[in-house]
């Protein structure tokens, strides 16, 4: 929202929306507070900042059943063979990235985290490497392979299995014989990790192995000693991957102890290749639960999608049968993460079942629910630009307060919309957020960091953090996402204003959208791991005529689907505010019109009824009621609700003094 503009009756030419694209990677762990139950594996894992992924084969990407499950269920992928040495560098110095790129590009387009597997392994290794007997030659070949591959995928890989399966089976606890150990000595692992850190400083570097799940085993202890030594000497290692290829009995009783003990060394732990013979429900539940009980267990990858895709297909070890149907173990894994396809929290708004968004919308509006509450130090004309989450049995609303002299922020909470009008208003200029221009808030919980974020505009894109959303005095002082306005915005803003910052994350990246009151929607990005720092690659994500793509953009993930919804406020030919909408399969992708015209808007006075009286002809800056509250900004696909700002149709004068109030739209043409 722009606090300075004055708007009369303007005619907006509604043009087609143009779009541009982009890409990138990484992430982290920990638990979300009282997380909402999701109905897919990846969505539920994301509630605690984790991922639930699968191994992917490029040769199966033309199988619709395979890709349908992949896109619906998993928020991380690991190439099964496409990034191994014998695929990428079959001949010395000749690199073939085609198969790996096919998987990497697809994952990036769908917002799925990407694990790199694997850089140094004694198997699936070309004969020319196995034949090297000169240490200097092998060292050069190994380091060049690591550097070339990591440079190619730099910025797109969340974590690399730098070295795979270097320890021997049995009771020795020592490294196995391989060309790398035999020619370079046991120090080859350290050298590989140091080379990897130089090649891509932002990717997590993992050691990956099998049969290291039982804490008392000699092999487990050998890997543990190596990791402890690396951490004590500053060798760069960030995570340990436990492959977890279990028999029908599932994980050993000490599995959680093993995860905890590795994590206590200061590394993440990941279950990287999970499959369990015959897929017993209890075995899957116990495995997933062990990870959930360890804060630094950041994710789980099953090694394949359907039983027919598994390297152990005769043992039917996966979560989906050969026809792609969910097996009982699927539900046990989902439930162990806290999710359910059928159950919701008793105190939460109903989580709606997944359905396709309609191509047109109908709404019913409440009356004005929230009005300004002036006091001795706050003379407020309008309350506007709301952001809302439902958490811990309450709606938490943040909004702009406006009058002729400027803007600031207010917070209120209540358990039911009938209480909204009587809720106490907490003015955030009395907190560390401070006085001065603060407007257009957006609130969400960053699950990996266990922090609430309040994003708002100050002339720059700013944010504050708070460990407790219910404590209005807990917000930190403002910090900026950017050192200054990005050049591309400066070059295109014209006589507009840089407004309405909006952050949303997928499993790999966080994106910051903003508007310029001049027909441009901008997008910057950073990795989940770097957030809130590192926003770069600012591009024009969409553009149209000035009033057809004006401001107040919202972007959401549609629950249970591979779809994102974009809403942008426009000014109609009658001078009134309304919303247009588009969809995309990727936050970095192109946007396709959904309900995007004056005749078929997302929300406009011509598709809204007012049972309590038509108190507003403007449907202006607001926010959807979400299905959750984390950084993914997930909304239901049906029975939508939208908290918006409206005003008396006869009100006029100074824009900053207009009597904006907050009302609630409820979708009336939902199909589910």
């Amino acid at each position: 929202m722009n606090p300075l503009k004055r708007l009369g009756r303007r005619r907006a030419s509604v043009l087609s929306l143009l779009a541009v694209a982009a890409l990138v990677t990484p992430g982290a762990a920990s638990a979300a507070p009282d997380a909402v139950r999701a109905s897919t594996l990846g969505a539920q894992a994301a509630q605690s900042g984790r991922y639930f992924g699968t191994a992917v084969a490029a040769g199966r990407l033309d199988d619709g059943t395979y890709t349908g499950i992949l896109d619906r269920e998993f928020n991380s992928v690991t190439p099964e063979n496409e990034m191994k040495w014998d695929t990428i560098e079959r001949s010395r110095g000749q690199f073939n990235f085609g198969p790996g790129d096919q998987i990497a590009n697809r994952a990036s387009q769908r917002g799925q985290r990407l694990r790199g597997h694997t850089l140094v392994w004694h198997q699936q290794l070309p004969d020319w490497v196995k034949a090297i007997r000169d240490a200097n030659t092998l060292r050069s070949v190994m380091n060049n392979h690591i550097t070339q591959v990591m440079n190619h995928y730099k910025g797109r890989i969340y974590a690399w299995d730098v070295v795979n399966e270097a320890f021997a089976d049995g009771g020795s606890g020592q490294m196995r014989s391989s060309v790398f150990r035999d020619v370079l000595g046991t120090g080859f692992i350290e050298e590989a990790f140091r080379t990897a850190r130089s090649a891509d400083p932002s990717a997590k570097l993992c050691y990956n192995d099998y049969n290291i799940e039982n804490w008392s085993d000699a092999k487990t202890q050998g890997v543990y000693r190596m990791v402890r030594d690396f951490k004590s000497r500053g060798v760069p290692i960030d995570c340990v991957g436990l492959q977890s290829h279990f028999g029908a009995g599932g994980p050993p009783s000490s599995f959680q102890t093993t995860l905890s003990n590795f994590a206590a060394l200061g590394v993440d732990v990941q279950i990287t290749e999970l499959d369990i013979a015959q897929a017993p429900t209890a075995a899957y539940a116990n495995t997933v639960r062990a990870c959930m009980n360890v804060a630094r267990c950041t994710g789980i990858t099953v090694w394949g999608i359907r039983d027919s895709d598994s390297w152990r297909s005769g043992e039917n070890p996966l979560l989906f049968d050969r026809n792609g149907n969910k097996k009982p173990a699927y539900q046990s894994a989902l439930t162990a993460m806290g999710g359910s396809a059928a159950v919701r929290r008793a105190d939460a708004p109903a989580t709606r079942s997944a359905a396709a968004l309609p191509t047109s919308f109908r709404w019913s509006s409440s009356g004005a629910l929230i009005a300004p509450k002036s006091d001795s130090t706050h003379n407020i004309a309008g309350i506007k630009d709301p952001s809302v989450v439902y958490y811990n049995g309450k709606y938490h609303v943040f909004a702009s307060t406006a009058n002729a002299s400027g803007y600031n922020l207010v917070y209120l909470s209540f358990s039911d919309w009938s209480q909204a009008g009587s809720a106490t208003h907490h003015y955030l200029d009395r907190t560390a957020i401070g006085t001065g221009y603060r407007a257009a808030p957006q609130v969400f919980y960053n699950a990996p960091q266990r922090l609430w974020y309040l994003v708002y505009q100050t002339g720059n894109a700013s944010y504050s953090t708070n460990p407790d959303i219910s404590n209005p005095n807990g917000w930190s002082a403002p910090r900026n996402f950017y050192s200054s306005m990005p050049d591309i915005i400066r070059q295109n803003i014209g006589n507009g204003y840089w407004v309405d910052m909006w952050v949303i994350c997928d499993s790999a990246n966080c994106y910051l959208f903003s508007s310029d009151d001049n027909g441009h929607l901008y997008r910057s990005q950073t990795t989940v791991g770097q957030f809130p720092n590192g926003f770069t690659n600012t591009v024009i994500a969409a553009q149209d005529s000035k009033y057809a793509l004006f401001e107040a953009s919202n972007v959401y993930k549609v629950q249970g689907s591979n779809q994102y919804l974009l809403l942008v406020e426009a000014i109609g030919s009658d001078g009134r505010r309304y919303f247009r909408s588009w969809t995309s399969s990727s936050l970095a992708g192109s946007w396709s019109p959904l309900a995007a015209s004056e005749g078929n808007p997302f929300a406009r006075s011509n598709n809204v009824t007012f049972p309590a009286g038509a108190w507003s002809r403007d449907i202006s800056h607001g926010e959807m009621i979400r299905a959750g509250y984390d950084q993914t900004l997930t909304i239901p696909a049906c029975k939508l609700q939208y908290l918006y700002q409206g005003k008396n149709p006869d009100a006029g004068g100074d824009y900053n003094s207009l009597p904006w109030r907050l009302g609630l739209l409820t979708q009336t043409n939902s199909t589910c």
Side-chain angles (χ1 to χ4, degrees):
M1 52 75 54
N2 164 28
L4 304 175
K5 57 188 175 292
R6 300 167 184 262
L7 296 170
R9 294 171 60 85
R10 294 185 170 93
R11 183 166 299 277
S13 59
V14 181
L15 305 177
S16 61
L17 189 67
L18 307 177
V20 191
L23 34 94
V24 169
T25 318
S30 74
D34 190 22
V36 173
R37 292 177 175 177
S39 59
T40 63
L41 298 167
Q44 185 57 38
Q47 293 287 349
S48 60
R50 293 173 170 86
Y51 64 83
F52 202 107
T54 186
V56 173
R60 293 190 175 95
L61 292 177
D62 59 355
D63 181 331
T65 301
Y66 183 90
T67 56
I69 299 170
L70 170 61
D71 295 344
R72 184 187 74 230
E73 294 289 343
F74 300 104
N75 61 347
S76 172
V77 299
T78 302
E80 191 168 354
N81 294 298
E82 290 78 1
M83 291 185 182
K84 292 173 180 173
W85 200 316
D86 65 351
T87 296
I88 282 187
E89 194 186 4
R90 185 174 294 275
S91 300
R92 183 172 179 177
Q94 297 179 19
F95 290 87
N96 173 26
F97 294 111
D101 286 352
Q102 186 179 358
I103 293 174
N105 293 340
R106 192 181 192 282
S108 179
Q109 291 165 5
R110 287 159 176 78
Q112 293 166 314
R113 191 174 292 184
L114 186 65
R115 295 192 80 260
H117 178 79
T118 175
L119 295 168
V120 179
W121 185 31
H122 66 281
Q123 292 188 5
Q124 293 184 237
L125 190 66
D127 288 341
W128 68 268
V129 182
K130 296 178 184 177
I132 298 173
R133 288 295 175 264
D134 176 71
N136 289 333
T137 301
L138 183 58
R139 181 175 292 107
S140 175
V141 163
M142 181 184 76
N143 290 340
N144 182 64
H145 180 82
I146 293 169
T147 301
Q148 295 298 322
V149 175
M150 292 188 74
N151 279 342
H152 179 80
Y153 290 107
K154 191 172 185 177
R156 289 188 280 170
I157 298 286
Y158 158 68
W160 271 107
D161 291 333
V162 178
V163 177
N164 193 50
E165 301 178 3
F167 277 75
D169 295 321
S172 72
Q174 303 300 311
M175 293 181 196
R176 70 169 68 245
S177 174
S178 71
V179 65
F180 300 106
R181 194 212 68 172
D182 296 347
V183 175
L184 298 177
T186 58
F188 84 90
I189 300 181
E190 177 176 342
E191 180 153 0
F193 274 84
R194 292 192 183 278
T195 302
R197 177 66 87 222
S198 297
D200 187 352
S202 64
K204 287 187 176 290
L205 307 182
C206 306
Y207 176 78
N208 190 56
D209 216 326
Y210 66 93
N211 285 353
I212 59 170
E213 295 81 15
N214 186 11
W215 175 243
S216 62
D217 284 355
K219 186 175 182 180
T220 306
Q221 291 298 309
V223 174
Y224 179 83
R225 287 191 296 270
M226 179 192 73
V227 176
R228 183 178 60 191
D229 172 60
F230 280 11
K231 295 299 290 185
S232 71
R233 294 190 294 108
V235 179
I237 184 169
D238 304 305
C239 46
V240 173
L242 297 89
Q243 293 182 15
S244 304
H245 297 294
F246 295 135
S253 59
S254 64
F255 184 47
Q256 184 175 317
T257 298
T258 304
L259 296 174
S260 296
N261 287 343
F262 274 112
L265 294 176
V267 294
D268 293 342
V269 288
Q270 300 169 359
I271 299 173
T272 54
E273 302 181 20
L274 177 63
D275 46 30
I276 307 178
Q278 308 310 323
T281 57
Y284 262 102
N286 290 338
T287 304
V288 172
R289 193 175 296 114
C291 178
M292 297 298 291
N293 288 340
V294 177
R296 292 201 69 158
C297 184
T298 57
I300 298 169
T301 297
V302 287
W303 205 247
I305 295 177
R306 302 163 301 194
D307 286 332
S308 54
D309 306 315
S310 172
W311 69 297
R312 304 169 67 188
S313 60
E315 297 176 286
N316 299 320
L318 297 175
L319 299 175
F320 296 86
D321 67 21
R322 293 164 193 270
N323 295 318
N325 300 311
K326 298 173 184 176
K327 295 161 63 174
Y330 170 95
Q331 187 60 52
S332 70
L334 182 63
T335 302
M337 288 190 288
S340 171
V343 183
R344 67 179 178 90
R345 284 200 334 257
D347 64 339
T351 300
R352 293 90 181 185
S353 59
L357 291 171
T359 56
S360 63
F361 294 85
R362 297 291 180 268
W363 307 89
S364 176
S365 177
S366 70
L369 297 177
I370 301 174
K373 292 186 177 181
S374 299
D375 63 15
S376 59
T377 58
H378 296 88
N379 181 23
I380 299 168
I383 186 165
K384 54 201 309 285
D385 317 322
S387 182
V388 55
V389 292
Y390 185 87
Y391 167 66
N392 202 21
K394 289 186 175 182
Y395 292 97
H396 300 264
V397 176
F398 296 79
S400 303
T401 57
N403 61 27
S405 63
Y407 284 70
N408 209 275
L409 304 176
V410 66
Y411 162 72
L412 58 153
S413 64
F414 45 87
S415 58
D416 187 84
W417 289 106
S418 63
Q419 303 168 350
S422 59
T424 301
H425 288 207
H426 300 273
Y427 297 104
L428 299 186
D429 59 357
R430 294 170 173 164
T431 73
I433 287 175
T435 58
Y437 174 49
R438 285 95 170 91
Q442 180 211 5
V443 68
F444 62 88
Y445 182 74
N446 185 301
Q449 298 178 13
R450 302 187 184 189
L451 275 177
W452 292 93
Y453 274 77
L454 191 64
V455 176
Y456 47 94
Q457 60 192 50
T458 57
N460 199 326
S462 300
Y463 67 93
S464 296
T465 59
N466 190 344
D468 180 3
I469 191 175
S470 65
N471 176 15
N473 295 313
W475 293 102
S476 65
R479 283 165 279 187
N480 293 337
F481 288 110
Y482 305 92
S483 59
S484 61
M485 181 187 293
D487 288 341
I488 192 170
I489 301 178
R490 193 185 316 279
Q491 293 160 7
N492 288 277
I493 196 170
N495 293 323
Y497 301 90
W498 186 26
V499 296
D500 297 337
M501 291 71 187
W502 183 268
V503 170
I504 180 172
C505 307
D506 57 29
S507 62
N509 305 310
C510 292
Y511 299 86
L512 197 159
F513 291 85
S514 59
S515 300
D516 67 0
D517 286 350
N518 193 33
H520 302 98
L521 178 69
Y522 301 99
R523 184 189 68 236
S524 305
Q525 66 188 82
T526 188
T527 65
V528 170
Q530 289 180 296
F531 181 83
N533 302 310
F535 275 106
T536 57
N537 193 27
T538 305
V539 299
I540 297 174
Q543 62 185 26
D544 204 334
S545 64
K546 176 171 182 167
Y547 300 123
L549 198 74
F550 197 59
E551 60 183 21
S553 67
N554 292 188
V555 186
Y556 303 98
K557 178 72 167 64
V558 180
Q559 189 176 43
S561 73
N562 184 39
Q563 187 177 55
Y564 291 91
L565 174 68
L566 165 67
L567 307 179
V568 182
E569 184 173 338
I571 303 174
S573 56
D574 59 357
R576 300 293 182 176
R577 305 299 188 98
Y578 75 101
F579 276 91
R580 304 171 68 199
S581 60
W582 298 262
T583 60
S584 177
S585 62
S586 169
L587 288 170
S590 300
W591 296 96
S592 301
L594 180 65
S597 67
E598 287 196 63
N600 181 31
F602 179 78
R604 187 171 180 253
S605 59
N606 64 349
N607 69 343
V608 177
T609 60
F610 293 85
W615 66 277
S616 178
R617 289 179 59 198
D618 291 273
I619 309 296
S620 185
H621 194 142
E623 186 175 328
M624 302 293 297
I625 307 301
R626 302 178 219 159
Y629 42 78
D630 70 9
Q631 71 281 354
T632 65
L633 306 189
T634 301
I635 61 169
C638 54
K639 298 180 182 176
L640 302 177
Q641 290 188 301
Y642 190 80
L643 184 64
Y644 73 102
Q645 65 179 37
K647 63 177 175 61
N648 185 328
D650 298 326
D654 175 53
Y655 182 81
N656 295 354
S657 300
L658 291 175
W660 294 102
R661 305 291 187 263
L662 304 184
L664 184 67
L665 298 180
T666 298
Q667 186 186 3
T668 58
N669 69 327
S670 179
T671 58
C672 54

